[in-house]
């Protein structure tokens, strides 16, 4: 399929090509910013400038809801939405330039990998994961401030309030677990180090489930955009429009449920596994702090209590493990029985305290512990 056919299929119509001077200016500024923000991932500023300055860049008409800029690997070109002011082209180009750095092609010029995304003959894996990771890097480079947002009934904080916000929220949770360096190094150098590290901390099955779920969320969002564009072309309200609105509502519900299910899996897959590895008092405190601060990364909906309930459960279990370690009775090869957990006096106190906590809020629980 030709480039022209690909562009037509995506609804992109070229208006004009940017001149060499403008392209060089964008390439120079972006190469400096990327290397300054991420100096430890093997990037060379001069080499990066040469690579980016060879890109073709165009102003184009784009469908409603499509990304404001798009990188096409087949012709090494970036297409900007005509509505973007010239002064903002650089901000939108950063994400696409990272894609250019990521790409890995075979001898026939076929794309086989882009960062965390694997391209196979039949299916693409990790597209949502990679887009979110790239956007998190772009937000860092562009110094986007943290913001509180709400999408599909989900409230959360993010440095990417406008682009892939739900995906970025989940990937930020993954990065909290592995460390951001593991995520960003693999994203820019297109390797499996991040995937391997997360899988080792949880399980390969958990990683694949999470990766596929993030892809699903991205797919649902894209389907909503397609349906909205279809609705916009219909002049009068009819049954067909009503059916399309119903499809959108169903997709929104799927997005919300998939997000929460994925978030819960991230929490349990890591913190259940790491709990089993605790063997000394220092690790007890490290675990407590890491689980407590995870609250800053989650998305919440009305009535969502999974994290708060899970946190209090783990603090109950941690009290038991703490006492066993302190008294020299802990054996990492034999976990405390449920009877021991139930009969522990300190645990009973915390179980009673849990009932007094309005909404089971983690922060209230922490404050009450400080007063004990």
């Amino acid at each position: 399929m030709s480039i022209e056919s690909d562009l037509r299929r995506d609804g992109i119509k070229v208006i004009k090509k940017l001149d060499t001077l403008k392209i060089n200016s964008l390439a120079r500024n972006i190469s400096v910013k990327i290397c300054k923000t991420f100096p430890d991932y093997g990037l060379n500023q001069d080499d990066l400038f040469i690579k980016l300055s060879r890109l073709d860049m165009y102003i184009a008409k784009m469908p409603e809801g499509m990304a404001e800029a798009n990188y096409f690997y087949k012709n090494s070109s970036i297409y900007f939405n005509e509505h973007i002011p010239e002064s903002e082209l650089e901000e939108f180009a950063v994400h696409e330039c990272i894609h250019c750095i990521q790409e890995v092609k075979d001898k026939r010029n076929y794309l086989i990998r882009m960062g965390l995304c694997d391209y196979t003959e039949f299916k693409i894996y990790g597209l949502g994961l990679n887009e979110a990771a790239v956007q998190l890097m772009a937000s860092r480079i562009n110094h986007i401030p943290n913001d509180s947002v709400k999408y599909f009934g989900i409230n959360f904080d993010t440095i990417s309030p406008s682009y892939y916000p739900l995906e970025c929220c989940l990937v930020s949770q993954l990065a909290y677990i592995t460390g951001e360096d593991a995520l960003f190094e693999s994203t820019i150098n297109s390797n499996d180090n991040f995937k391997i590290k997360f899988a080792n901390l949880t399980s390969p099955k958990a990683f694949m489930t999470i990766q596929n779920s993030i892809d699903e969320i991205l797919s649902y969002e894209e389907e909503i955009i397609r349906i909205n564009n279809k609705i916009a072309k219909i002049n009068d309200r009819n049954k067909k429009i009503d059916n399309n609105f119903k499809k959108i509502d169903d997709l929104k519900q799927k997005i919300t449920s998939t997000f929460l299910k994925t978030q819960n899996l991230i929490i349990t897959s890591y913190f259940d596994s790491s709990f089993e590895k605790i063997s000394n008092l220092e690790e007890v405190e490290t675990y407590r702090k890491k689980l407590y601060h995870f609250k800053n990364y989650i998305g919440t909906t009305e009535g969502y209590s999974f994290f708060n309930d899970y946190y209090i459960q783990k603090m109950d279990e941690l009290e038991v493990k703490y006492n066993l370690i302190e008294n020299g009775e802990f054996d990492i090869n034999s976990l405390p029985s449920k009877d021991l957990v139930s009969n522990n006096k300190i645990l009973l106190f915390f179980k009673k305290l849990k009932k007094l906590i309005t909404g089971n809020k983690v922060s209230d629980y922490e404050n009450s512990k400080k007063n004990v």
Side-chain angles (χ1 to χ4, degrees):
M1 186 178 290
S2 67
I3 299 300
E4 291 74 16
S5 298
D6 286 340
L7 294 176
R8 282 197 302 271
R9 181 195 62 197
D10 291 336
I12 297 175
K13 183 178 180 181
V14 173
I15 297 174
K16 68 174 182 178
K17 183 177 180 179
L18 295 184
D19 60 56
T20 302
L21 187 63
K22 182 62 178 178
I23 293 173
N24 285 343
S25 175
L26 290 172
R28 184 179 301 105
N29 293 341
I30 291 172
S31 59
V32 169
K33 287 182 177 181
I34 291 176
C35 292
K36 183 178 180 180
T37 307
F38 301 105
D40 302 322
Y41 304 147
L43 296 173
N44 178 280
Q45 185 176 309
D46 292 335
D47 292 342
L48 188 54
F49 165 71
I50 292 172
K51 184 179 183 70
L52 299 181
S53 65
R54 290 173 177 169
L55 296 175
D56 288 326
M57 301 185 187
Y58 301 90
I59 304 297
K61 290 182 179 291
M62 294 185 179
E64 189 69 28
M66 192 175 187
E68 295 298 300
N70 278 275
Y71 174 70
F72 269 57
Y73 80 92
K74 289 184 179 180
N75 63 347
S76 299
S77 299
I78 297 176
Y79 298 86
F80 297 98
N81 194 312
E82 62 176 332
H83 300 304
I84 301 176
E86 185 173 341
S87 60
E88 297 178 14
L89 288 179
E90 185 176 310
E91 177 181 338
F92 289 101
V94 170
H95 184 111
E96 309 313 316
C97 286
I98 294 175
H99 279 323
C100 172
I101 300 168
Q102 291 183 311
E103 66 180 11
V104 179
K105 300 178 182 178
D106 63 16
K107 294 179 180 179
R108 296 174 297 170
N109 203 41
Y110 290 142
L111 187 66
I112 57 175
R113 179 154 188 163
M114 187 172 278
L116 303 173
C117 181
D118 293 310
Y119 290 77
T120 70
E121 185 177 354
F122 302 106
K123 189 174 180 180
I124 300 173
Y125 295 92
L127 180 61
L129 176 64
N130 188 60
E131 287 293 352
V134 170
Q135 183 55 37
L136 288 172
M137 295 185 77
S139 294
R140 287 291 180 83
I141 292 167
N142 290 321
H143 303 290
I144 305 299
N146 206 44
D147 194 10
S148 297
V149 297
K150 183 176 183 178
Y151 286 96
F152 305 105
I154 305 169
N155 297 283
F156 55 97
D157 293 337
T158 180
I159 59 171
S160 182
S162 302
Y163 303 100
Y164 308 109
L166 291 175
E167 295 88 343
C168 285
C169 181
L170 292 173
V171 175
S172 291
Q173 294 174 19
L174 302 180
Y176 176 77
I177 290 170
T178 64
E180 287 188 338
D181 279 344
L183 174 68
F184 294 150
E185 188 276 328
S186 280
T187 300
I188 204 72
N189 290 321
S190 295
N191 61 49
D192 289 329
N193 294 340
F194 164 75
K195 296 181 181 181
I196 292 170
K197 184 170 185 179
F198 186 84
N200 285 338
L201 291 170
T202 56
S203 71
K205 181 180 178 181
F207 173 78
M208 289 303 299
T209 302
I210 292 164
Q211 175 182 263
N212 292 340
S213 295
I214 295 173
D215 282 351
E216 285 180 6
I217 291 173
L218 179 61
S219 178
Y220 294 148
E221 291 172 338
E222 291 175 342
E223 181 62 19
I224 289 175
I225 291 172
R226 283 193 289 268
I227 295 174
N228 276 326
N229 287 337
K230 186 187 298 184
I231 292 173
K233 295 177 182 178
I234 302 175
N235 294 324
D236 59 333
R237 181 150 189 138
N238 53 41
K239 186 176 181 180
K240 189 174 182 180
I241 287 184
D242 291 339
N243 288 337
N244 283 325
F245 281 131
K246 176 63 168 59
K247 289 179 182 178
I248 289 175
D249 288 338
D250 291 343
L251 287 166
K252 287 180 178 180
Q253 291 178 14
K254 287 182 178 179
I255 288 172
T256 302
S257 63
T258 302
F259 177 93
L260 295 177
K261 180 179 66 176
T262 306
Q263 175 173 273
N264 294 347
L265 176 58
I266 293 172
I267 294 167
T268 56
S269 64
Y270 173 68
F271 287 104
D272 282 357
S273 176
S274 58
F275 181 86
E276 303 300 330
K277 300 173 184 176
I278 296 173
S279 61
N280 58 60
L281 297 181
E282 182 180 354
E283 290 173 350
V284 168
E285 182 60 15
T286 299
Y287 178 93
R288 184 193 70 78
K289 288 181 178 178
K290 190 155 191 177
L291 178 55
Y292 174 68
H293 289 295
F294 194 83
K295 68 184 176 64
N296 299 321
Y297 293 84
I298 66 171
T300 60
T301 59
E302 184 177 351
Y304 176 81
S305 64
F306 180 88
F307 177 75
N308 291 316
D309 294 341
Y310 181 85
Y311 176 84
I312 292 173
Q313 174 196 330
K314 283 301 175 188
M315 291 304 101
D316 289 346
E317 296 174 9
L318 207 59
E319 290 289 344
V320 175
K321 181 167 276 194
Y322 180 94
N323 289 335
L324 290 173
I325 294 173
E326 190 174 44
N327 295 329
E329 301 172 359
F330 175 72
D331 182 357
I332 195 169
N333 296 314
S334 60
L335 300 176
S337 68
K338 291 183 179 179
D339 289 339
L340 178 60
V341 172
S342 299
N343 294 326
N344 184 275
K345 291 182 179 180
I346 296 177
L347 174 58
L348 290 175
F349 168 77
F350 281 96
K351 285 186 178 294
K352 291 179 181 178
L353 179 63
K354 176 180 177 181
K355 296 179 181 179
L356 301 176
I357 300 172
T358 303
N360 292 340
K361 294 181 179 177
V362 170
S363 56
D364 291 343
Y365 182 91
E366 282 291 310
N367 290 333
S368 66
K369 281 186 64 179
K370 293 176 183 177
N371 295 324
V372 174

